[in-house]
Amino acid sequence: VQLQASGGGLVQSGGSLRLSCAVSGNIFSINDMGWYRQAPGKQRELVAHITRGGRTNYADSVKGRFTISRDNAKNTVYLQMNSLKPEDTALYYCNADVLSSWYATPRNNWGQGTQVTVSS
């Protein structure tokens, strides 16, 4: 299973970016999906999480600005980021719990990370 994240870049404060993460490989089903971020010198933190049924939760710091969504037919999760702030600068990682068969135990998988830089 591979997770390919894309959509990062350099944006001015107040701008927007949309991250995508496509999951490929031996997939029977994908349960929870999420986005995490890690800034230099800080621990990786949860940004947003979405269940297969579409239930979401967000870090307090991004509520009202970021929106997580998913397309189950495309095995893809998205993160729409609006009103970006310099403190949002980090390496963003996608995460997914993937089942390779109906009887398998879900395995947690990470993408390679995509850099988001917000200038003031």
Side-chain angles (χ1 to χ4, degrees), residues 67-94:
T67 302
I68 189 171
S69 61
R70 62 190 286 173
D71 185 331
N72 291 331
K74 295 182 178 180
N75 294 328
T76 300
V77 63
Y78 306 96
L79 185 67
Q80 178 65 45
M81 304 185 294
N82 299 328
S83 302
L84 282 160
K85 304 175 181 180
E87 51 263 44
D88 294 318
T89 295
L91 193 58
Y92 283 69
Y93 296 90
C94 56

Side-chain angles (χ1 to χ4, degrees), residues 32-106:
D32 295 352
M33 304 181 84
W35 288 96
Y36 291 72
R37 67 187 181 187
Q38 187 167 17
K42 295 188 176 181
Q43 289 190 331
R44 189 174 299 188
E45 62 175 359
L46 174 68
V47 176
H49 169 270
I50 185 168
T51 67
R52 181 170 180 79
R55 186 161 49 193
T56 61
N57 70 281
Y58 298 90
D60 288 343
S61 59
V62 306
K63 282 181 181 176
R65 300 188 298 121
F66 290 11
T67 302
I68 189 171
S69 61
R70 62 190 286 173
D71 185 331
N72 291 331
K74 295 182 178 180
N75 294 328
T76 300
V77 63
Y78 306 96
L79 185 67
Q80 178 65 45
M81 304 185 294
N82 299 328
S83 302
L84 282 160
K85 304 175 181 180
E87 51 263 44
D88 294 318
T89 295
L91 193 58
Y92 283 69
Y93 296 90
C94 56
N95 181 273
D97 288 334
V98 181
L99 290 86
S100 59
S101 64
W102 66 269
Y103 53 83
T105 300

Side-chain angles (χ1 to χ4, degrees), residues 4-15:
Q4 182 66 48
S6 61
L10 173 63
V11 64
Q12 287 189 333
S13 182

